[in-house]
Amino acid sequence: MAGIKVRTDPVTRSKLGESVLSDLREELRAIDCQTCGRPLRRWRRPALAVYADGELANASLHHAGCRPPGWHEGPMAPVSDVPHLTWRAGTFVMPALLTLGAASDGTPFFLVNPSYEAALLQYVDGERGDRERGEDGETSENREDGETARGWQVWTVEVFKELGLDGGLHTLSPDAVPTRGLTASIADRRSP
């Protein structure tokens, strides 16, 4: 899958590298501008703006006229202050046959994409495996030995796992713990 096309600036391209930009193009979806909230048009490339604060960064999509593409250093706004972020959720029941013996009945699942137009990034120091910023500004390309080099990586999935969302069939095991704070009910009502 090729992903979406985005407008970027030379600084962002140099700091992220082609591998991370490719990951962002795959992950992001151009739904609404994160500045004005109006729809991003399919035939126009949205601008990629990155706000970095230490070892974390937020990459988001905007109309080029609302916010030009660029790399910005400084504090990031909390997600709750971003009112235009699109999210989608869906439900389905996984048949017992597809759970490979982990469940005897159909198991209800929630499929959640909490963020279409924004993705979190993390700076990783591959040599030590921690998240400290390197002084030489290396990009996140894989080294020949298979280790991840120092640089930026898309971090969205891991942060939502840390917040309690789960993402695998291991949740079907008998000793699985329910996600804290998540409740759901099935009603016989449907919206028109």
Side-chain angles (χ1 to χ4, degrees):
M1 188 183 211
I4 64 170
K5 294 181 180 179
V6 295
R7 295 173 192 259
T8 58
D9 68 304
V11 173
T12 302
R13 284 192 301 274
S14 114
K15 286 189 178 276
L16 295 182
E18 186 51 42
S19 176
V20 175
L21 284 172
S22 178
D23 289 346
L24 285 172
R25 287 190 294 266
E26 289 291 326
E27 183 163 326
L28 297 174
R29 298 291 177 260
I31 309 291
D32 294 326
C33 173
Q34 296 304 289
T35 302
C36 72
R38 291 190 320 264
L40 294 165
R41 304 283 186 228
R42 289 184 190 190
W43 56 89
R44 295 197 180 154
R45 292 183 306 157
L48 179 68
V50 179
Y51 290 84
D53 186 13
E55 64 193 28
L56 299 177
N58 180 358
S60 55
L61 300 177
H62 307 266
H63 292 117
C66 290
R67 185 163 300 171
W71 185 273
H72 311 276
E73 296 282 343
M76 299 182 301
V79 173
S80 61
D81 291 347
V82 184
H84 308 300
L85 199 57
T86 303
W87 64 276
R88 299 279 193 273
T91 59
F92 64 95
V93 175
M94 182 174 291
L97 178 66
L98 297 178
T99 64
L100 305 173
S104 58
D105 294 327
T107 304
F109 272 84
F110 288 87
L111 181 62
V112 180
N113 184 335
S115 170
Y116 272 38
E117 305 93 348
L120 296 173
L121 302 170
Q122 174 187 41
Y123 195 86
V124 176
D125 183 345
E127 294 173 5
R128 293 188 310 217
D130 62 16
R131 300 185 307 191
E132 293 180 15
R133 177 181 294 274
E135 295 177 17
D136 53 4
E138 291 181 51
T139 60
S140 297
E141 302 295 332
N142 285 336
R143 297 190 312 216
E144 289 180 17
D145 61 6
E147 293 290 320
T148 302
R150 201 176 307 176
W152 290 99
Q153 294 181 352
V154 177
W155 189 52
T156 302
V157 173
E158 288 80 8
V159 75
F160 287 114
K161 282 182 183 177
E162 288 177 12
L163 291 171
L165 293 178
D166 208 330
L169 289 177
H170 65 280
T171 59
L172 299 175
S173 68
D175 57 344
V177 178
T179 302
R180 294 182 318 266
L182 178 65
T183 59
S185 62
I186 298 174
D188 196 19
R189 291 176 272 159
R190 294 179 186 238
S191 300

